[in-house]
Amino acid sequence: MPDLGSSPVGDVLIVTAALLALLYLGLTARPPSALRSLSKTLAVLLLAVAAWLGAGPLLLTLALGLCAVGDFCLSREGEGAFMAGVGAFAAGHLVYIFLFLGQGDSDFARLIQLPQLVGVLVLAVAGLTMVWLLAPRAGALKGPVLAYVPIILGMGLAALTLPLGGGLTGLALVLPAAVAFMASDIVLAFETFVLAEDHPARRVTPYVVWPLYWGAQAGFLLAFLQGQCWIYIG
């Protein structure tokens, strides 16, 4: 069993979560079912349990748990379930923001320095584009959808306050994971509100959203569990 920075039981849970994520990938374009909801929810909920067992930050466990709640809600049908899912994910994003900004290495000054400044500008353009495209198409959900946009961007900005060095290890994993999370949100928003029901891209989007999203959650988990292990060793 590979050492993923969690407890021994946590490592088993992470591997199990990955297998459930693969199972859900094969179900993602299918109609709602108990198996579909169960595999989607557990694929992230087990990561939350692994974070807790690995003595990860409490905010990490909370964020993963909220995202698992959002997964369950979005796996069901109906506007009520959709709104509950959006609320859970918005809360998860906010907790991630507090988690990132609470790190000792977080520094707002990075947002006006290269290369992070480029990321800030990209986020600004992406946010304006999303508002422009979604506002006239979201209908009765316009308010919640538009309120979700700055929360997504806020998570990206919070990730940009962290150091980028160190390769794909420790806190350097946070930014690519945040980018993947935001990308999954953007693709899902386009699938839900922009693409026509018979658009050919809808055959592909479910298989894009899920790997980006689950990979982001796993990336956040590994970033903070590995970082804690290194602090302990040091």
Side-chain angles (χ1 to χ4, degrees), residues 67 88-89 92 105 194:
C67 289
F89 276 114
D105 289 333
V194 178

Side-chain angles (χ1 to χ4, degrees), residues 127-148:
L128 291 173
T129 302
M130 288 180 69
V131 169
W132 177 60
L133 288 173
L134 297 178
R137 297 173 171 86
L141 299 177
K142 178 179 177 180
V145 168
L146 294 185
Y148 192 68

Side-chain angles (χ1 to χ4, degrees), residues 41 44-45 48 58-74 84-96 181 213 217:
T41 305
V44 176
L45 184 60
L58 179 59
L59 290 178
L60 174 65
T61 301
L62 178 58
L64 288 167
L66 286 167
C67 289
V69 171
D71 284 325
F72 175 78
C73 293
L74 292 185
V86 169
F89 276 114
H93 278 294
L94 289 172
V95 174
Y96 275 128
F181 199 175
Y213 162 74
Q217 306 309 317

Side-chain angles (χ1 to χ4, degrees), residues 31-43:
S33 66
L35 178 60
R36 187 173 178 272
S37 294
L38 187 65
S39 59
K40 183 177 188 181
T41 305
L42 286 179

Side-chain angles (χ1 to χ4, degrees), residues 29 187-188 190-192 194-209:
V187 174
L188 181 60
F190 272 67
E191 177 188 56
T192 304
V194 178
L195 298 179
E197 288 292 335
D198 58 349
H199 197 286
R202 281 182 171 270
R203 301 174 185 173
V204 178
T205 49
Y207 303 102
V208 174
V209 171

